[in-house]
Amino acid sequence: MHSDEIGFGDNYIFGYGSLISNDSRARTGETGKPVAVTVSDIARSWSVPVPSCQFTAVGAVEQAGSYCNGVVFPVTPESLQRFDEREIGYTRILLAAERFNPRLKFSNEAQIWTYVGTSRAQPTPQLPIAQSYLDVVIDGCRHYGHDFIEAFFETTLLWNHIVDDRHEPRCSRHLKSSEHIKLCDAILAKYAPIQLNRRVRSAQNTEEELLGSK
């Protein structure tokens, strides 16, 4: 994979959560064209708590025999630093090109990075899966077709405690298009109907689930 765009050099990022979204990436730094891929020996789950925003984000860990889909894209050195500043709760590690499917032709100097979670937590009533964050991920996935969406749901673990916080978004990079939000709900209904049926509004979560956990 070679970037013909001036200034990108040889740094790449593999994104498997909110970084799948073009809009979410653009809010952080300048990136090149993304390519949909699957990476071997990496497992994704809802495992990274974000206490400052009161939700749990997706994270990944290296795990033999697992795989995870996402996108790989070139970044400028300056943007790489900005993504480091964004990815609080994650550690940046190198990935070997041989782990990518399809096989991409990176230059010999290429450094392919991803951010693995520093926590192996799981969603709780206090730090649930925020729909406003999930919307960003799903909106990114839908640009890559049916198989990509299906793979995201199949290879992501720990689908517990989803709250609909769209009326008061906890995710700062939340979707603002009502049309896109409707598409996200349609995708959830198709690929994760059980999780959708268990989703609660955040006000209800605060009043009922938090009191019940005491």
Side-chain angles (χ1 to χ4, degrees), residues 75-127:
V75 293
T76 64
E78 295 77 15
S79 290
L80 183 61
Q81 182 176 350
R82 287 195 285 271
F83 280 107
D84 284 349
E85 295 168 355
R86 162 179 167 162
E87 299 300 318
I88 298 172
Y90 299 82
T91 298
R92 175 159 56 88
I93 65 168
L94 282 168
L95 295 174
E98 294 75 19
R99 295 171 64 176
F100 285 77
N101 183 27
R103 289 292 181 91
L104 302 175
K105 293 182 179 180
F106 295 98
S107 70
N108 293 333
E109 294 76 26
Q111 291 185 300
I112 314 160
W113 306 96
T114 196
Y115 294 92
V116 294
T118 56
S119 167
R120 294 199 181 190
Q122 58 182 303
T124 66
Q126 294 84 0
L127 296 173

Side-chain angles (χ1 to χ4, degrees), residues 18-204:
S18 61
L19 293 183
I20 297 172
S21 164
N22 293 336
D23 178 69
S24 182
R25 293 194 308 275
R27 296 193 193 192
T28 298
E30 184 180 6
T31 68
K33 182 179 179 180
V35 176
V37 294
T38 299
V39 176
S40 63
D41 299 329
I42 189 167
R44 173 175 51 205
S45 64
W46 293 97
S47 56
V48 178
V50 188
S52 61
C53 298
Q54 297 184 315
F55 69 83
T56 295
V58 289
V61 295
E62 294 194 276
Q63 181 173 298
S66 297
Y67 66 93
C68 173
N69 68 326
V71 296
V72 63
F73 50 90
V75 293
T76 64
E78 295 77 15
S79 290
L80 183 61
Q81 182 176 350
R82 287 195 285 271
F83 280 107
D84 284 349
E85 295 168 355
R86 162 179 167 162
E87 299 300 318
I88 298 172
Y90 299 82
T91 298
R92 175 159 56 88
I93 65 168
L94 282 168
L95 295 174
E98 294 75 19
R99 295 171 64 176
F100 285 77
N101 183 27
R103 289 292 181 91
L104 302 175
K105 293 182 179 180
F106 295 98
S107 70
N108 293 333
E109 294 76 26
Q111 291 185 300
I112 314 160
W113 306 96
T114 196
Y115 294 92
V116 294
T118 56
S119 167
R120 294 199 181 190
Q122 58 182 303
T124 66
Q126 294 84 0
L127 296 173
I129 299 171
Q131 185 66 60
S132 59
Y133 173 87
L134 179 55
D135 285 341
V136 173
V137 181
I138 293 175
D139 190 60
C141 289
R142 71 183 181 84
H143 292 286
Y144 299 97
H146 164 87
D147 291 344
F148 190 96
I149 297 170
E150 187 172 41
F152 173 79
F153 284 100
E154 287 182 350
T155 61
T156 306
L157 304 177
L158 301 178
W159 289 89
N160 305 320
H161 303 293
I162 302 178
V163 296
D164 183 356
D165 63 325
R166 289 166 174 161
H167 56 297
E168 293 181 355
R170 303 183 188 194
C171 177
S172 61
R173 291 177 287 273
H174 62 91
L175 299 183
K176 297 182 180 179
S177 166
S178 59
E179 189 62 34
H180 287 183
I181 288 172
K182 290 179 182 178
L183 289 171
C184 290
D185 271 347
I187 289 170
L188 271 175
K190 181 175 181 179
Y191 296 99
I194 295 175
Q195 290 86 343
L196 179 61
N197 289 336
R198 292 175 178 172
R199 184 180 68 184
V200 298
R201 284 179 64 85
S202 56
Q204 178 182 347

